[in-house]
Amino acid sequence: MRLAGVVVAVDQRLHRVSRGRLSLVAIAGLPSLRLTSTGRRSGLARQNNLLYLPHGTEFVLTGSNWGRSNHPAWAYNLRANSRATVTIRGREMAVRAREVTGAEYARLWSELLEFWPGYRMEREAAGRELPVFVLTPDP
């Protein structure tokens, strides 16, 4: 988590050079996507490379923000505007995001921990409940 800034910078460059086909997470054998959301204040496109949990035709994201105490900007952006796009291996698709709560949160949180146990450590480091979003393809 201490190297988050370096990892993010290298990942962004790798994504740009490969035209969206590669990321550090993907090289590690994990599913990754590039989320493009609309900045809630600026109205500008904001891009983030993120680990995701495949869930049928949907994508599950958690706002771990590398264990920092604040939520990631993309989470606030999705709360303000649920329309976004994801790019996976160079293929872009429109999605709609919804933040989950209650029993659905508990179920997905359990699945997320099974998928990536490091989320438990990140939640403890952050000292907050990590938001969970489900992204559904939007035809």
Side-chain angles (χ1 to χ4, degrees):
M1 291 188 299
R2 286 183 230 122
L3 297 175
V6 173
V7 171
V8 169
V10 170
D11 197 43
Q12 288 173 341
R13 185 167 195 158
L14 180 60
H15 190 274
R16 191 171 26 255
V17 168
S18 71
R19 296 184 181 156
R21 289 186 215 80
L22 290 175
S23 72
L24 289 176
V25 172
I27 289 171
L30 297 166
S32 70
L33 58 77
R34 185 168 187 96
L35 173 69
T36 303
S37 58
T38 303
R40 70 188 183 287
R41 292 187 204 149
S42 69
L44 300 174
R46 301 296 185 200
Q47 297 183 326
N48 302 90
N49 294 345
L50 302 169
L51 172 67
Y52 74 93
L53 169 65
H55 205 262
T57 61
E58 300 175 318
F59 314 95
V60 179
L61 305 176
T62 186
S64 66
N65 204 16
W66 296 84
R68 295 184 184 117
S69 61
N70 56 313
H71 296 312
W74 62 260
Y76 293 109
N77 293 344
L78 291 180
R79 287 173 178 157
N81 182 353
S82 66
R83 290 179 184 246
T85 60
V86 296
T87 305
I88 300 174
R89 291 186 208 100
R91 184 174 158 241
E92 187 175 290
M93 78 174 72
V95 293
R96 287 245 180 183
R98 65 182 173 79
E99 188 169 2
V100 299
T101 59
E104 186 179 20
Y105 180 95
R107 182 178 50 78
L108 286 174
W109 180 249
S110 177
E111 289 181 39
L112 282 162
L113 289 178
E114 189 173 312
F115 168 73
W116 185 251
Y119 284 139
R120 179 176 284 112
M121 179 182 64
E122 292 181 46
R123 182 171 67 177
E124 289 170 10
R128 61 181 171 84
E129 184 173 273
L130 306 182
V132 173
F133 292 85
V134 174
L135 307 181
T136 305
D138 189 14

